[in-house]
Amino acid sequence: MVKLFSSILIFLFLLPLAFSDLRVGFYSKSCPSAETIVRRIVQNRFNRDRSITAGLLRMHFHDCFVRGCDASILIDPKGGKASEKQAGPNASVRGYELIDEIKKALEKACPLTVSCADIITLATRDSVALAGGPKYTVPTGRRDGLVSNPNDVNVPGPTFSVSQALQSFSAKGLTLNEMVTLLGAHTVGFTHCSFVQGRLSSFGSRDASMDSALDSSLGRTCGSSSRPARNDPRVFLDQNTSFVFDNEFYNQILKKRGVLKIDQNLADDALSRGIVSGFAANDGSFMQSFANAIIKMGRIGVLVDNAGEIRKNCRAFNQ
Ligand code: HEM
Ligand SMILES: *[C@@H]1O[C@H](CO)[C@@H](O)[C@H](O)[C@H]1NC(C)=O
Ligand SMILES: CC(=O)N[C@H]1CO[C@H](CO)[C@@H](O)[C@@H]1O
């Protein structure tokens, strides 16, 4: 009896492992051109708009941190029913129309075969390589989720301490090292002034952990409490090599030139400072570490096998 019971327990324990079969080249038989199609469309977009790398990286992160990497972030609200996109932190996630363009081409080549969750993953991978980041193979076979709820959105905030942020990453099975690595994605892209003004002297709240030249320069773009710039302008997260996927982000935060508080915290907190210095000194180790960490992020809560569905339109559930 005890033996039967423990066999059942072992079986139940192994079940999710046996079925979580993402693998490199998942579409090599069912849609051999899938990865080439994704790469071509991402390349076209990148040629016109280098900022797409940042858009996709953030989309991938927000997708994976809410219900797992299941493309729940892509669902449009419909008939009064809200979706993830509408949650506060969502705002400004961008690149949705690129995903639509890729999906359209894939539906033409191989209908109902390639998931929207894999499209986000592959497009992110390709855009990172184009911006100068690591080139890596990434496992596929994700399926698209059937739920998208704004109340599920609970991504870390820009003023989090390192240990607060770590709580959120640990809950997803990611380590401190992986978190510091993944935040290196802030080597590309923008933030809106509204996430930074709480640190600026022009808004009456000088943050001593910010370099004073950066404080003045951000003040010129973002305005002041008496005259805030209109339409919430954007500023680069990496103020030096803003479009290049490199380790310069870590050098910038060591120079007190982190734009978001969470970014500066990484350099100033004893928990993470050593990891930051290591990456600042060695671009190769950051590249390697980033490839490993983003592949791991891409496995969070994935749906495989018969779970979920392959959406026809990334913005809507099939039914
Ligand atoms: C503690 C964790 C994190 C926090 C608090 C955070 C916060 C933020 C905030 C506030 C912005 C600015 C958004 C805007 O104004 O439009 C931003 C942008 C961005 N984040 Fe993060 N982030 C975190 C982790 C990550 C991770 C893990 C990735 C990817 C692996 C990532 C990639 C990006 C990118 C690429 C941008 C620029 C987006 C663009 O240019 O559109 N972030 N992040
Ligand atoms: C900008 O980055 C380059 C390397 O990518 C570095 O040599 C230079 O010192 C940096 N400049 C500033 C002002 O941080
Ligand atoms: C693109 C999108 O749907 N943005 C929404 C993000 O969340 C805010 C606040 O809930 C909405 O006002 C935006 O429309």
Side-chain angles (χ1 to χ4, degrees):
M1 184 61 195
V2 172
K3 204 163 170 210
L4 175 67
F5 191 65
S6 58
S7 324
I8 291 173
L9 270 183
I10 288 171
F11 176 72
L12 288 179
F13 183 72
L14 291 178
L15 199 62
L17 293 177
F19 282 77
S20 62
D21 58 347
L22 293 185
R23 60 176 193 275
V24 172
F26 182 86
Y27 299 109
S28 61
K29 289 215 172 63
S30 59
C31 188
S33 56
E35 297 205 15
T36 317
I37 291 174
V38 175
R39 192 175 331 111
R40 175 174 51 78
I41 297 174
V42 172
Q43 170 91 63
N44 282 343
R45 172 66 180 265
F46 184 86
N47 293 345
R48 282 180 282 122
D49 170 18
R50 288 191 297 160
S51 85
I52 192 60
T53 305
L56 290 169
L57 273 164
R58 182 151 183 258
M59 179 190 286
H60 191 31
F61 167 54
H62 279 227
D63 185 33
C64 294
F65 264 59
V66 184
R67 307 195 67 86
C69 317
D70 66 348
S72 51
I73 193 170
L74 301 180
I75 294 293
D76 277 343
K78 191 182 163 200
K81 197 163 180 295
S83 66
E84 242 174 66
K85 267 183 189 176
Q86 288 171 297
N90 83 51
S92 74
V93 170
R94 55 197 181 86
Y96 295 117
E97 65 315 313
L98 177 66
I99 302 298
D100 293 337
E101 190 186 340
I102 297 171
K103 182 61 174 170
K104 205 169 152 202
L106 287 171
E107 283 305 295
K108 218 166 150 195
C110 346
L112 289 176
T113 305
V114 183
S115 68
C116 300
D118 278 340
I119 295 175
I120 299 177
T121 310
L122 291 167
T124 302
R125 182 272 304 266
D126 294 335
S127 74
V128 165
L130 287 166
K135 300 183 167 62
Y136 54 92
T137 53
V138 68
T140 45
R142 294 167 190 76
R143 308 220 352 135
D144 298 324
L146 301 173
V147 179
S148 179
N149 183 340
N151 301 324
D152 290 339
V153 178
N154 184 20
V155 292
T159 59
F160 273 30
S161 68
V162 173
S163 48
Q164 282 174 324
L166 183 56
Q167 273 184 25
S168 150
F169 278 70
S170 304
K172 307 290 175 192
L174 296 166
T175 65
L176 174 67
N177 196 297
E178 287 161 345
M179 178 179 91
V180 176
T181 303
L182 287 168
L183 271 157
H186 289 174
T187 180
V188 290
F190 313 92
T191 176
H192 289 84
C193 282
S194 46
F195 291 119
V196 185
Q197 63 199 34
R199 304 185 65 200
L200 304 180
S201 49
S202 59
F203 284 83
S205 42
R206 170 106 175 85
D207 179 342
S209 72
M210 184 187 285
D211 165 71
S212 62
L214 179 61
D215 174 53
S216 318
S217 127
L218 294 178
R220 282 192 292 279
T221 308
C222 298
S224 61
S225 38
S226 51
R227 288 190 63 193
R230 281 199 301 155
N231 302 327
D232 198 4
R234 299 183 305 174
V235 293
F236 289 122
L237 289 168
D238 172 351
Q239 292 274 316
N240 184 2
T241 56
S242 312
F243 288 104
V244 185
F245 196 99
D246 59 6
N247 67 339
E248 184 56 22
F249 167 78
Y250 299 102
N251 285 301
Q252 292 294 303
I253 60 180
L254 288 176
K255 293 177 182 165
K256 304 176 100 179
R257 295 180 60 84
V259 174
L260 293 177
K261 185 63 176 168
I262 178 65
D263 294 349
Q264 193 54 52
N265 287 345
L266 294 178
D268 298 342
D269 193 309
L271 264 179
S272 44
R273 188 183 311 145
I275 305 171
V276 167
S277 310
F279 289 149
N282 188 340
D283 188 57
S285 89
F286 168 56
M287 295 287 168
Q288 183 66 60
S289 186
F290 190 82
N292 293 335
I294 198 156
I295 290 168
K296 184 165 168 194
M297 186 182 89
R299 290 183 177 278
I300 296 173
V302 293
L303 302 172
V304 290
D305 209 51
N306 290 320
E309 64 182 5
I310 304 294
R311 272 179 225 152
K312 187 174 174 51
N313 166 0
C314 292
R315 294 175 182 267
F317 304 120
N318 288 345
Q319 281 317 313

